Amino acid sequence: MIVDSLIDRYCPQQKEKVYEFLRFCIVGVIAAGIHYGIYYLLQYCIEVNVAYTAGYLIALVCNFFLTSYVTFRSGPSAKKAAGFGVSHLINYLLHMGLFNAFLWMGISRLLAPVLVLMVAVPTNFILLRWVFKHKNK
């Protein structure tokens, strides 16, 4: 596989972390798709901040289980759910601040969520990695 050979060649000591990040990206794309799809459908019939929040909350539940099982390969727990919730509260506030800032700047309400993800995803990975990896030590 091409990815294996690239990882083995350029960062063999970090192989598990690279795969973990790739799994995070795949799960993130799925969660972002759920979030954006719900937002896209709802933003035509309800206020955009409510639509954005509804999409975020539904994607949040899916994301927790996918992050537990797929990204970090550990089972869900109440402790992880609490850490995930706090992480996502911070992430949600970042999302809403950026989303409304982009709307205020005149960016289309269909493009604004995409731009938000470009900033929020790396921040979220760092927070979630801490919750799922470092809190267990």
Side-chain angles (χ1 to χ4, degrees), residues 18-79:
V18 171
Y19 278 119
E20 183 178 86
F21 183 73
L22 291 174
R23 291 189 306 267
F24 174 82
C25 290
I26 291 166
V27 166
V29 166
I30 293 167
I34 292 167
H35 180 192
Y36 189 82
I38 291 167
Y39 164 75
Y40 181 81
L41 293 172
L42 293 178
Q43 57 98 23
Y44 288 110
C45 55
I46 61 176
E47 199 271 328
V48 293
N49 284 295
V50 175
Y52 195 86
T53 299
Y56 190 91
L57 291 173
I58 293 166
L60 176 73
V61 173
C62 298
N63 194 357
F64 173 67
F65 289 101
L66 288 171
T67 297
S68 293
Y69 290 118
V70 177
T71 302
F72 297 112
R73 297 185 174 178
S74 64
S77 69
K79 185 176 179 181

Side-chain angles (χ1 to χ4, degrees), residues 2-132:
I2 294 172
V3 174
D4 274 335
S5 62
L6 288 172
I7 293 170
D8 286 338
R9 182 173 184 179
Y10 294 107
C11 51
Q13 300 85 2
Q14 302 296 321
K15 191 171 189 171
E16 180 52 34
K17 287 183 182 177
V18 171
Y19 278 119
E20 183 178 86
F21 183 73
L22 291 174
R23 291 189 306 267
F24 174 82
C25 290
I26 291 166
V27 166
V29 166
I30 293 167
I34 292 167
H35 180 192
Y36 189 82
I38 291 167
Y39 164 75
Y40 181 81
L41 293 172
L42 293 178
Q43 57 98 23
Y44 288 110
C45 55
I46 61 176
E47 199 271 328
V48 293
N49 284 295
V50 175
Y52 195 86
T53 299
Y56 190 91
L57 291 173
I58 293 166
L60 176 73
V61 173
C62 298
N63 194 357
F64 173 67
F65 289 101
L66 288 171
T67 297
S68 293
Y69 290 118
V70 177
T71 302
F72 297 112
R73 297 185 174 178
S74 64
S77 69
K79 185 176 179 181
K80 289 176 187 170
F84 191 84
V86 170
S87 165
H88 273 277
L89 176 60
I90 294 165
N91 194 44
Y92 172 76
L93 295 172
L94 178 62
H95 270 249
M96 291 310 294
L98 291 170
F99 179 66
N100 283 288
F102 289 140
L103 292 177
W104 178 80
M105 288 188 279
I107 294 171
S108 134
R109 65 186 199 182
L110 295 179
L111 179 59
V114 176
L115 297 176
V116 168
L117 290 174
M118 293 172 68
V119 176
V121 167
T123 304
N124 195 34
F125 177 75
I126 292 165
L127 291 169
L128 289 177
R129 189 165 202 292
W130 182 79
V131 166
F132 280 86

